[in-house]
Amino acid sequence: MEKIISKLFSDYLSEQTITTKQEYASLAKNALEKEKELRNKLNENQTKCFEELFEFTSQIHFLEVKDAFFNACKLGAKVSKELII
């Protein structure tokens, strides 16, 4: 079942078009502006630390999305099974 859900998750990610939505575009623009503003205030060591933090945060977010997707698939399968029986 894990392989099936992994495939579904990969397909799900490849089909996402969130970047075309206005709300996303606005938030992404604001985030980029704030990132540039912060980077201009940081020295070399602080920039390195910020980039490491940003990478960890991105990885955590990916794992959260993946975990939520997997749980939703498992719950959907369980509910479907209960409805059939």
Side-chain angles (χ1 to χ4, degrees), residues 39-53:
R39 283 180 182 273
N40 288 332
K41 296 177 182 179
L42 301 177
N43 64 36
E44 188 176 327
N45 287 336
Q46 292 169 326
T47 298
K48 183 180 179 205
C49 183
F50 171 74
E51 288 173 353
E52 290 171 356
L53 173 63

Side-chain angles (χ1 to χ4, degrees), residues 8-85:
L8 287 171
F9 185 63
S10 293
D11 292 348
Y12 164 77
L13 290 177
S14 69
E15 295 174 6
Q16 290 304 300
T17 57
I18 192 166
T19 57
T20 61
K21 296 180 179 169
Q22 180 58 37
E23 182 181 19
Y24 176 88
S26 178
L27 288 171
K29 179 183 175 189
N30 291 339
L32 184 59
E33 288 173 4
K34 284 296 176 186
E35 181 183 342
K36 286 179 182 178
E37 181 182 330
L38 177 59
R39 283 180 182 273
N40 288 332
K41 296 177 182 179
L42 301 177
N43 64 36
E44 188 176 327
N45 287 336
Q46 292 169 326
T47 298
K48 183 180 179 205
C49 183
F50 171 74
E51 288 173 353
E52 290 171 356
L53 173 63
F54 198 77
E55 181 62 30
F56 289 136
T57 303
S58 295
Q59 290 175 13
I60 289 168
H61 177 69
F62 175 81
L63 292 175
E64 289 171 340
V65 170
K66 183 178 177 185
D67 190 47
F69 185 88
F70 274 53
N71 287 334
C73 286
K74 289 177 183 178
L75 179 61
K78 183 179 177 182
V79 169
S80 295
K81 181 180 174 184
E82 289 178 7
L83 290 175
I84 292 172
I85 296 176

